[in-house]
Amino acid sequence: MTWPPQAAKPARMRPSARLAFAVAAVGIAIYSAMDAIMKGLSIASGAYDAVLWRSLAGVALMAPVFLLQRRPWPGRAALKLHLARGATGGASVLLFFWGLVRVPMAQGVALTFLAPLIALFLAAATLGERIRRGAIGGSLVASLGVLAIAAGEVRARASDEVVLGSLAILVASVLYAGSLILLRRQAQAADPLEVALFTSVVLAGLMLLGAPWLGSLPTTAQIPAILGAAVLGSISALALAWAYRHAEAQVLAPVEYTAFVWSALFGFLVFGEHVSLFTTAGAALIIGGCVIAVRDPGPGPQTEAGA
């Protein structure tokens, strides 16, 4: 079930789920590269400044394209969705990068893998998508993965900063799950450019409210990194918005797991980070739990929200 209901299209005109999955996978890879840039900016100037600068640069890049195409202004319903996702996604992004400064990239991204699992339940409650029979069992397996990562921190005698960073990322993953569901609804009500632009507009607007007290101006040397992050973030947002417009949230949610490989690679190349055995095992359990939750349950009774 999609939201809002739409007239059926001929099968040959409907992009395949595989294509949507592939586009989303590319979007995640690009986003992971942006994460590395944003972590560097957050270490240098703080997460607030990094998110503020990137969101403003994103608006500056996409707004001229939107205006030159003389697109109509979003309707009231679409504006509400843009505002909701911008606020939810913005809080998630801010918490994530605040936490990412304090933990290795691979560990931080592994903790965000709970988001697709949470998104399954939210999709059932808000979008009318089917609840997989293995969702509860998958949740238990994924929880063991989080415990494994936590055990690694205990074994390594992690500092309070690392623990707080991990907790911030866990909260960010819950908010991100909500933003995934809003993205599905948002992408049904607007095209990818509008979705990407107005999400950045809302985020930038909210961040600017606290800028007089919390923000600062970037240095000249930081401008290329800010523009690079904005370009990568915009391309990723366009790709994900397109993908979520053409496939269900539960179909695309597992693509998030590919970020672990990219984050481990960028974390090693850029920051010299090494992935611990506990993080790898935890990520494997979380991914396994999510796979159990989203796999085809085969014949048998299912429940559907709203039935």
Side-chain angles (χ1 to χ4, degrees), residues 130-186:
R130 291 185 176 184
I131 301 175
R132 304 296 188 185
R133 290 187 300 180
I136 295 178
S139 299
L140 294 175
V141 174
S143 298
L144 292 176
V146 176
L147 291 176
I149 293 174
E153 291 186 354
V154 171
R155 185 174 182 274
R157 297 181 181 179
S159 66
D160 290 343
E161 284 283 292
V162 173
V163 174
L164 287 175
S166 297
L167 290 175
I169 292 174
L170 284 173
V171 175
S173 70
V174 176
L175 293 172
Y176 184 57
S179 75
L180 286 178
I181 300 305
L182 289 169
L183 173 58
R184 173 63 175 163
R185 298 178 64 182
Q186 194 182 24

Side-chain angles (χ1 to χ4, degrees), residues 1-276:
M1 177 177 178
T2 58
W3 189 97
Q6 295 181 327
K9 297 180 181 180
R12 62 184 179 84
M13 295 179 62
R14 188 181 299 123
S16 69
R18 286 185 180 180
L19 178 58
F21 191 93
V23 171
V26 172
I28 292 298
I30 294 172
Y31 199 89
S32 298
M34 185 210 67
D35 281 348
I37 296 176
M38 288 292 290
K39 177 169 181 171
L41 288 171
S42 297
I43 291 173
S45 302
Y48 192 94
D49 280 343
V51 174
L52 172 63
W53 299 337
R54 192 203 70 180
S55 59
L56 288 172
V59 172
L61 288 171
M62 290 183 287
V65 179
F66 183 87
L67 295 174
L68 287 173
Q69 293 183 3
R70 297 184 179 180
R71 294 168 178 255
W73 192 257
R76 185 174 181 179
L79 282 175
K80 287 183 178 180
L81 286 172
H82 296 330
L83 180 61
R85 182 164 181 262
T88 305
S92 174
V93 166
L94 188 59
L95 282 170
F96 174 72
F97 286 117
W98 187 88
L100 198 63
V101 170
R102 293 158 176 80
V103 301
M105 283 188 63
Q107 179 179 325
V109 169
L111 291 173
T112 68
F113 288 160
L114 290 174
L117 193 58
I118 299 169
L120 289 178
F121 295 96
L122 293 179
T126 62
L127 302 180
E129 296 183 7
R130 291 185 176 184
I131 301 175
R132 304 296 188 185
R133 290 187 300 180
I136 295 178
S139 299
L140 294 175
V141 174
S143 298
L144 292 176
V146 176
L147 291 176
I149 293 174
E153 291 186 354
V154 171
R155 185 174 182 274
R157 297 181 181 179
S159 66
D160 290 343
E161 284 283 292
V162 173
V163 174
L164 287 175
S166 297
L167 290 175
I169 292 174
L170 284 173
V171 175
S173 70
V174 176
L175 293 172
Y176 184 57
S179 75
L180 286 178
I181 300 305
L182 289 169
L183 173 58
R184 173 63 175 163
R185 298 178 64 182
Q186 194 182 24
Q188 293 296 314
D191 63 75
L193 177 59
E194 181 182 317
V195 169
L197 171 61
F198 280 88
T199 298
S200 292
V201 167
V202 172
L203 176 55
L206 292 175
M207 297 293 290
L208 282 172
L209 293 177
W213 301 276
L214 302 174
S216 62
L217 293 175
T219 65
T220 303
Q222 290 175 319
I223 291 178
I226 294 169
L227 292 177
V231 170
L232 293 177
S234 298
I235 294 174
S236 176
L238 290 171
L240 291 173
W242 186 94
Y244 273 85
R245 185 179 179 87
H246 295 102
E248 287 186 344
Q250 65 180 354
V251 172
L252 296 178
V255 79
E256 300 286 333
Y257 315 144
T258 60
F260 182 77
V261 177
W262 293 110
S263 63
L265 177 62
F266 289 128
F268 174 74
L269 293 177
V270 180
F271 303 104
E273 299 171 349
H274 294 274
V275 182
S276 71

